[in-house]
């Protein structure tokens, strides 16, 4: 008589595998007794999900989402006695719309996203919008306090960019992610809301980038047929173009939250720093943005006017295999802040040196043309009139309207209008207001484990 116990086995590079041990007993009675006791102990782990809602993007990355789920994830869920309702999406925004309006969320303990960062963003929007609607929160008001989502989200990486999975699990591996879901890990995460003129645009959990990264993404979208290689090509092209943009950035600095250069790595949303933040986060009195005029008492706002090659807001380190430390190595996952990185106009060579530091261990902020601030809220106003429609209406820069505006801007200011990328999507406006909502969602993850920190540090 025998029974098997399945367990999580850690291997190199933060990968988790499913191991098993077979126990032999002298009698069936003893065997059943052991099984009963073990199951009883397992039932005490109330954090473990029993029922999941799974969305698969069949077209993400190399179009292997369904295969990855059926071959690697579903067998593990079955073994862990977790039931799963699976929806293979039929169009973009299918998952978001289903979550927002149709899904019976009371039936589930969590939502699983099989895809890349774009697919995760859909799930994120669906869950947040649904939660706010259910609680009667007005999303269009930039100063609304958002209600945290009760369901956790698991990410099974199957996209061409799996940055959020990499930053929160430490690797992009379907089996590892599935095991994090099964053991019921929970990691809180901040979410930024982005508004234009008091109308809601999008939510962001990783990178809001204006200038360089906005241009890279905008260009890569035109080259989708190239697959993941489009990002490299667009990156080189954007770098060679070396554009800068003029505007005013106003921000509310985060007090007592450390600095982006303090080298205190946040390996999980429950790091000491984030835990402390979660206590003081309760109903924190928001200081409402009052525009650029600081004479009315909004003296805590800092205002910077300048010419920028890039403005980035990193709400997490944004680590990925190419940049293991990420855009802001010390950004915290769940402290209610975002790291605002301003890269001022500089020479081609200087910008190259800055970019290069994303791939090695040197301090990428240690340049005279780079400054970085930890903030709770910020506002950007481009010098050039907000050409809201240029990106959104499908007008290409070569179109008559866009070309005229771009030429005019270039003639008068030496720059054209830039665009924001928000977690991989292009925003339709350049004048935006961003607020950080502390610990608005939770993932089935536990951050990058300590042992790995030593590896990275070595
Ligand atoms: N069935 C579908 N058909 C077409 N598009 C879809 C479908 N399901 C989801 N999408 C969209 O595909 C986009 C990309 O998905 P995903 O992030 O999974 O893959 P990706 O290869 O990493 O893409 P990207 O690099 O653009 O993030 C998402 O924005 C999502 O809205």
């Amino acid at each position: 008589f025998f029974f098997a116990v399945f367990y999580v086995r850690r291997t190199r590079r933060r990968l988790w595998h499913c191991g098993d041990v077979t126990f032999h007993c002298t009698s069936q009675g003893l065997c059943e007794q052991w099984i009963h006791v073990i199951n009883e102990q397992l039932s005490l782990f109330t954090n473990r999900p029993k029922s999941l809602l799974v969305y698969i993007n069949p077209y993400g990355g190399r179009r292997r989402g369904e295969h990855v789920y059926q071959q690697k994830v579903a067998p593990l869920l079955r073994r862990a006695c977790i039931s799963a309702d699976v929806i293979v999406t039929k169009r973009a925004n299918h998952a978001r719309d289903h979550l927002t309006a149709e899904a019976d969320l009371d039936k589930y303990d969590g939502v699983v996203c099989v895809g890349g960062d774009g697919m995760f963003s859909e799930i994120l929007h669906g869950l947040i919008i649904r939660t706010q609607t259910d609680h009667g929160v007005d999303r269009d008001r930039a100063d609304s306090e958002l209600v945290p989502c009760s369901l956790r989200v698991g990410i099974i990486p199957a996209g061409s960019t799996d940055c959020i999975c990499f930053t929160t699990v430490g690797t992009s591996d379907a089996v590892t992610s599935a095991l994090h879901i099964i053991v019921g890990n929970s990691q809180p995460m901040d979410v930024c809301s982005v508004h234009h003129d008091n109308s809601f645009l999008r939510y962001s959990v990783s990178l809001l980038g204006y200038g360089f990264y906005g241009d890279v993404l905008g260009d890569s979208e035109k080259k989708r047929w190239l697959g993941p290689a489009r990002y490299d090509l667009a990156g080189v092209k954007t770098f060679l173009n070396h554009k800068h943009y003029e505007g005013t950035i106003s921000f509310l600095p985060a007090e007592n939250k450390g600095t982006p250069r303090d080298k205190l790595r946040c390996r999980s949303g429950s790091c000491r720093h984030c835990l402390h933040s979660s206590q003081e986060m309760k109903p924190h009195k928001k200081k409402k943005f009052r525009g650029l005029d600081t004479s009315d008492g909004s003296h805590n706002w800092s205002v910077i006017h300048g010419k920028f090659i890039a403005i980035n807001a990193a709400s997490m380190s944004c680590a990925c295999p190419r940049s293991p430390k990420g855009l802001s190595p010390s950004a915290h996952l769940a402290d209610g802040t975002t790291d605002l990185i301003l890269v001022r106009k500089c020479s081609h060579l200087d910008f190259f040196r800055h970019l290069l530091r994303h791939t090695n261990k040197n301090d990428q902020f240690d340049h005279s043309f780079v400054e970085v601030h930890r903030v709770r809220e910020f506002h950007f106003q481009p010098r050039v009139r907000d050409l809201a429609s240029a990106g959104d209406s499908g007008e290409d820069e070569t179109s008559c309207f866009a070309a005229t505006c771009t030429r005019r801007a270039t003639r008068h200011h030496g720059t054209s209008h830039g665009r924001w990328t928000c977690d991989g999507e292009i925003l339709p406006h350049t004048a935006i207001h961003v607020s950080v909502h502390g610990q608005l969602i939770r993932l089935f993850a536990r951050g990058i484990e300590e042992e790995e920190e030593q590896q990275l540090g070595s």
Side-chain angles (χ1 to χ4, degrees), residues 39-55:
N39 281 335
E40 218 173 43
Q41 290 300 310
L42 285 175
S43 69
L44 299 178
F45 292 111
T46 49
N47 256 356
R48 295 192 175 193
K50 293 186 176 55
S51 173
L52 297 168
L53 176 58
V54 180
Y55 294 99

Side-chain angles (χ1 to χ4, degrees), residues 86-100:
V86 178
I87 295 178
V88 179
T89 58
K90 296 205 162 26
R91 57 175 172 85
N93 291 326
H94 179 175
R96 186 199 64 186
D97 296 345
H98 185 259
L99 270 171
T100 308

Side-chain angles (χ1 to χ4, degrees), residues 56-62 88-95 113-122 158-162 221 224 228 230-231 423-425:
I56 303 177
N57 175 3
Y59 300 113
R62 297 184 199 283
V88 179
T89 58
K90 296 205 162 26
R91 57 175 172 85
N93 291 326
H94 179 175
C113 155
V114 184
D117 289 341
M119 188 61 184
F120 171 75
S121 182
E122 269 199 36
S160 40
T161 48
D162 300 308
E221 282 303 299
R224 284 201 83 88
R230 68 188 183 273
Y231 295 112
D423 292 5
E425 294 291 325

Side-chain angles (χ1 to χ4, degrees), residues 331-345:
H332 286 269
L333 284 164
D335 68 342
T337 71
T338 186
D339 287 354
L340 188 61
I341 306 158
L342 309 177
V343 184
R344 290 177 185 270
K345 185 182 167 192

